[in-house]
Amino acid sequence: MNNNKVIQVEGLTKMFGDFTAVNAITFEVDKGEIFGFLGANGAGKTTAMKMLIGISNPTSGNANVAGFDVFTHTENIKKNIGYMSQKFALYDDLTVRENITFFGGIYGLSRKRIKEKSDALIEELGLQNVANKLVGALPLGWKQKLSFSVSLIHDPKIVFLDEPTGGVDPITRRQFWELIYKAANQGTTVFVTTHYMDEAEYCDRVSIMVNGKIEALDTPKKLKEQFKAENMNDVFLKLARG
Amino acid sequence: MVSISVKHISKSYKSVNALQDISFEVKEGELFGLIGPDGAGKTTLFRILTTLLFADEGTATVAGFDVVADYKSIRNSVGYMPGKFSLYQDLTVEENLDFFATIFGTTIEENYDLIKDIYVQIEPFKNRRAGKLSGGMKQKLALSCALIHKPKVLFLDEPTTGVDPVSRKEFWDMLKRLQQKGITILVSTPYMDEAALCDRIALIQDGKILEIDTPEAIVKYYPKPIYNVRANNMYQLINSLNAYEHNHSVYPFGEFVHYTDNRTDFNPDHLKAYLESRNLSNIHIEKTIATIEDTFMELAK
């Protein structure tokens, strides 16, 4: 495979009974790219993402994620990707440091490496004063930033972010995107879903799913030209309304 | 006439001051938005106004009734759609609606006009259990149940959180139609673009109201000229602007960065020269208009 393509998907399909949730989607994502994965509720985004991260078996098609096949090597995929969603992030009843240690342990990092990573991460996020506080006591925005950094603890090739900024205040939302830019700049591929259309503009390329199919895929600039739209919100409304 | 009146309401939980001296009024038939992120205190305020929680200090009335002394009257006069889906998952769509109608001593038929627009969209699934509905359908059922007793005031706590832009737009169209039927609506949202759809808004953060006004007026509080800046590399651009000693604020906004300068005699050409010295190209700087989100971030700073 081409080393620069960290996600390669061809004709990937998922059926539940006679309902086609994901209908033969095809796309590729480059190393270090920020790839926006958009679509209306129920368009099939979550189902597609579950196949890519190796927790749902595709019905047909091909996909290769971080160098591994989604049919046969799901355990390798899980070791080589990071995942963060708004719904499941960190353990509220563990402290900041305990959460980092726990996830570091899950991914098989050595004690020494976990210690180094913890110190670096806590300093980078400015969490020195709350390192031994329970995560449940932190403001949502801090939790989300910490959760993102924890999802990168094992230096994955790709990080999957499922609506990472929902409900977060506008300043923290932007700080969060600065973390995303930084990770991408260091070569990590970022695969992100969002309902904030201004965030779609921050992506290198954006795909829009409608009823199980990818109906558009390009840079935000080209999509706006193609749909004669002023912003990504208009592009989305034009496409998803069908 | 005043439909909701809030005077000096405060509420604390252990070490958190959830609401600090909140006061505002909502007129009858007004669509009033509480705009703020998670943790701002929006839900606490909703629970106080719907008589589910006592305030530590202050008073409030809804539809002319005191939230403490006349709580039973308020419960008959308001509809409340909590942020968390709170219908009976094991009852069908129709059973849920029938249940709420019965509790309030009415029937689905009696007020069908009010919910018709919304309910027809989920009626094909009326025998499906509520727990098996999609997010958008749950939201429509919850709104139908909150409306079935023809409330004077409707409380909607983050009805569009996690909802895609198409469904969000449809939901706001529904709210506009309800407003035309004379219902007062208090709605909260973390989406700043929805603020523009309200008659008046309160920006709220950390339990305090930052500002209350119409969406058009609120952007006038923005104190500085604001510039759209674009260059060939977004990440380098943000880093360079953050490192620029004269910056007042640097926030990515779609394809641009919104930039303000802390000098009164700011010259965009100087900024351009600086960015060029940082190896950026295709630099484009132009004045732009502050949005509600800019205003929120400036006030929250």
Side-chain angles (χ1 to χ4, degrees), chain A residues 16-84:
Chain A
F16 297 106
D18 53 10
F19 174 69
T20 309
V22 175
N23 192 352
I25 57 171
T26 299
F27 65 94
E28 293 179 335
V29 183
D30 287 339
K31 179 174 162 38
E33 188 174 17
I34 302 175
F35 188 83
F37 198 60
L38 312 185
N41 299 102
K45 296 190 307 281
T46 303
T47 306
M49 198 146 155
K50 278 183 176 170
M51 291 191 279
L52 296 180
I53 63 177
I55 60 171
S56 171
N57 279 324
T59 306
S60 61
N62 290 305
N64 192 296
V65 175
F68 300 99
D69 188 279
V70 296
F71 285 91
T72 54
H73 289 83
T74 52
E75 289 312 307
N76 295 79
I77 289 178
K78 288 176 201 166
K79 282 176 198 155
N80 283 282
I81 62 164
Y83 176 77
M84 173 204 164

Side-chain angles (χ1 to χ4, degrees), chain A residues 39-41 86 140 163 166-171 173-174 177-178 181-182 185 195-199 201-202 224 230 233 236-237 240-241, chain B residues 37-38 162-170 173 190-192 205 233-236 238 242 250-255 293 296-297 300-301:
Chain A
N41 299 102
Q86 195 192 348
L140 177 77
E163 285 182 44
V168 173
D169 74 82
I171 295 177
R173 212 150 65 76
R174 286 173 172 79
W177 272 89
E178 287 181 28
Y181 279 125
K182 190 174 169 195
N185 203 53
H195 285 317
Y196 290 97
M197 288 303 116
D198 60 328
E199 295 188 347
E201 306 254 8
Y202 305 156
K224 282 184 280 183
E230 223 169 81
N233 197 53
F236 191 92
L237 290 178
R241 232 171 235 281
Chain B
D38 280 12
V163 174
D164 67 75
V166 176
S167 308
R168 287 209 281 137
K169 189 168 181 305
E170 286 171 0
D173 291 342
Y191 294 100
M192 301 282 158
Q205 170 145 309
N233 182 319
M234 190 63 150
Y235 180 60
Q236 302 300 345
I238 294 168
N242 275 328
V250 177
Y251 294 123
F253 256 84
E255 61 182 311
E293 194 155 1
F296 187 96
M297 290 194 285
K301 242 183 160 184

